[in-house]
């Protein structure tokens, strides 16, 4: 069993997944490395040593995890809430969106996304480590990187001309207020519409830092009127047809290339749309003037956390996005039973505008917070624990 993806890690694979199986479970950092691992697993000469080495490394990871867990003392949920992020909401006026309609882009021109692409992860997909554009000067892999980059640019131009790969997005802004650790979302008539159930950090924080929860960045009930943004987008409409055609022609390189390009275009589309939100649609950063390296470093006001990632590890919160925006009808992105987005090169999340909003890792939570969240959601604790397994302490 090969495990990979943005929300997995060597530690997670060793601690949470491998012990559940009687056969080898191997972590692959990206798709290109999975090819070499599969070769070693199918090699009569390499298989035995590869499996033994993998088994020992995972045993070491589990021991490290146990040692760390033994030293970790989480706060009670009450104490974590007492140390919540605080700001003076009486002195802060949240910005109002210029438009509150749900908007849709059906066919985003791909060439407009070029200036927003972060190329460094593209090269990592092919096992080439180095930052763009300095990777081109690497004496060992520079030439290969330049060829890959050239092929990717050529493909993007071809796809833009042919329309065989399409990018689409939808987004909207809704009045919202904080209610303890949750965010209440209202319709335009200020009637209850949905609830975002959030998790709070429980690990003791150094240097008097807060125990963050995403709800901390939304104004509380009775405070100034605040808003939250919602978005979903894809750059892979038509991707399945392209990869199927490449494989039918026995062109594995083209199949991997178009997937890697679609991933980069989706992330670039995310950057472009967020910039448009900051400067025009929400309009709280009209004078922002950042280059792509500054955007990649997130040197802008506001955040766009996504369900399933460290600040919001609960994938089921994607359901709220799909309900608010009617995503599948508008732009064709579906959610699988495991809440994965399909087609794959897709992104969804939330827009926060507060100038002190930041990304953080919820980390481990106690059984107390799990039960509290289950009660708030009216959800079976055991079902919820499966969705949050990697965040449960002990």
């Amino acid at each position: 069993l090969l495990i990979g993806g943005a929300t997995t890690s060597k530690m997670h694979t060793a601690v949470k997944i491998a012990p559940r199986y009687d056969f080898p479970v191997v972590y692959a950092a990206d798709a290109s490395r999975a090819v070499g691992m599969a070769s070693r697993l199918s090699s009569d000469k390499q298989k035995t040593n590869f499996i033994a080495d993998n088994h020992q490394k995972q045993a070491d990871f589990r021991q490290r995890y146990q040692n760390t867990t033994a030293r970790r003392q989480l706060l009670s949920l009450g104490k974590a809430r007492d140390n919540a992020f605080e700001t003076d909401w009486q002195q802060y006026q949240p910005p109002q969106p210029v438009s509150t309609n749900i908007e849709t882009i059906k066919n985003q021109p791909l060439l407009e996304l070029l200036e927003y692409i972060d190329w460094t992860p593209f090269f990592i997909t092919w096992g080439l480590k180095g930052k763009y554009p300095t990777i081109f000067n690497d004496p060992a892999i520079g030439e290969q990187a330049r060829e890959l980059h050239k092929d990717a640019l050529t493909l993007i131009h071809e796809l833009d001309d042919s329309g065989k790969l399409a990018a689409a997005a939808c987004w909207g802004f809704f009045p919202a207020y904080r209610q303890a650790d949750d965010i209440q979302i209202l319709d335009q008539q200020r009637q209850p519409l949905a609830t975002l159930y959030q998790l709070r950090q429980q690990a003791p924080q150094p240097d008097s830092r807060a125990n963050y929860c995403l709800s901390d960045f939304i104004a509380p009930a009775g405070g100034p009127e605040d808003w939250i943004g919602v978005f979903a987008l894809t750059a892979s409409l038509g991707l399945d047809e392209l990869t199927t055609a490449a494989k039918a022609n026995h062109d594995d390189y083209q199949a991997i290339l178009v997937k890697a390009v679609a991933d980069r275009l989706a992330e670039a589309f995310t950057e472009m749309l967020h910039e448009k939100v900051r400067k025009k649609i929400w309009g709280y950063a009209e004078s922002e003037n950042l280059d792509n390296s500054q955007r990649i470093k997130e040197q802008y006001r506001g955040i766009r956390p996504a369900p399933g990632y460290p600040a919001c590890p609960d994938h089921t919160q994607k359901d709220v996005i799909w309900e608010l925006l009617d995503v599948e009808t508008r732009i064709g992105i579906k959610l699988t039973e495991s809440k994965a987005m399909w087609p794959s090169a897709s992104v969804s999340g939330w827009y926060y505008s507060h100038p002190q909003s930041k990304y953080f890792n919820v980390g481990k939570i106690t059984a107390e917070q799990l039960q509290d969240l289950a009660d708030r959601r009216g959800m079976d604790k055991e079902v919820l624990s499966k969705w949050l397994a990697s965040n449960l302490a002990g």
Side-chain angles (χ1 to χ4, degrees), residues 62 73 101 114 172 179 216 221 242 267 285 294 302 326 335 360:
R62 286 191 286 272
Q73 184 66 43
N101 297 323
L114 284 175
Q179 187 174 51
D216 293 344
L242 289 167
E267 295 296 337
Q294 291 171 312
D326 195 12
L335 289 179
F360 58 89

Side-chain angles (χ1 to χ4, degrees), residues 43 128 153 173 238 274 285 327 386:
S43 169
L128 304 180
L153 290 175
F173 295 87
H274 195 190
V327 174
K386 293 179 181 179

Side-chain angles (χ1 to χ4, degrees), residues 235-284:
S236 52
L237 299 176
L239 179 60
D240 285 349
E241 292 80 359
L242 289 167
T243 55
T244 298
K247 290 176 181 178
N249 291 327
H250 307 288
D251 192 345
D252 291 339
Y253 174 72
Q254 188 71 6
I256 297 174
L257 181 64
V258 71
K259 285 183 179 180
V261 162
D263 285 339
R264 290 301 88 213
L265 289 173
E267 295 296 337
F269 197 3
T270 306
E271 285 291 358
M272 190 191 78
L273 184 58
H274 195 190
E275 181 182 70
K276 186 176 180 181
V277 163
R278 297 190 302 271
K279 298 175 72 172
K280 296 181 179 179
I281 304 172
W282 210 336
Y284 59 79

Side-chain angles (χ1 to χ4, degrees), residues 20-64:
R20 296 177 179 268
Y21 295 92
D22 296 326
F23 48 78
V25 177
V26 183
Y27 173 77
D30 55 65
S32 63
R33 298 189 184 188
V35 176
M37 291 176 175
S39 296
R40 288 194 288 275
L41 285 168
S42 59
S43 169
D44 292 336
K45 294 182 178 180
Q46 300 182 57
K47 180 178 180 178
T48 301
N49 289 338
F50 179 76
I51 291 175
D53 183 60
N54 180 68
H55 179 78
Q56 183 58 53
K57 287 180 178 178
Q58 290 184 341
D60 293 342
F61 271 111
R62 286 191 286 272
Q63 186 60 55
R64 285 167 51 190

Side-chain angles (χ1 to χ4, degrees), residues 156-227:
I156 292 172
H157 279 81
E158 291 175 353
L159 293 172
D160 189 73
D161 288 340
S162 67
K164 291 182 178 180
L165 185 73
C170 58
W171 66 90
F173 295 87
F174 299 86
Y177 66 88
R178 184 180 82 242
Q179 187 174 51
D181 285 352
D182 300 328
I183 299 171
Q184 301 299 328
I185 299 176
L186 311 175
D187 62 21
Q188 304 307 327
Q189 286 71 47
R190 306 318 189 255
Q191 297 300 308
L193 192 59
T195 302
L196 276 182
Y197 299 96
Q198 306 289 5
L199 290 167
R200 183 173 297 281
Q201 293 176 315
Q202 285 189 264
Q205 300 299 306
D207 304 323
S208 300
R209 297 177 191 171
N211 285 80
Y212 286 101
C213 175
L214 283 174
S215 64
D216 293 344
F217 306 128
I218 299 292
E225 184 174 64
D226 208 347
W227 298 74

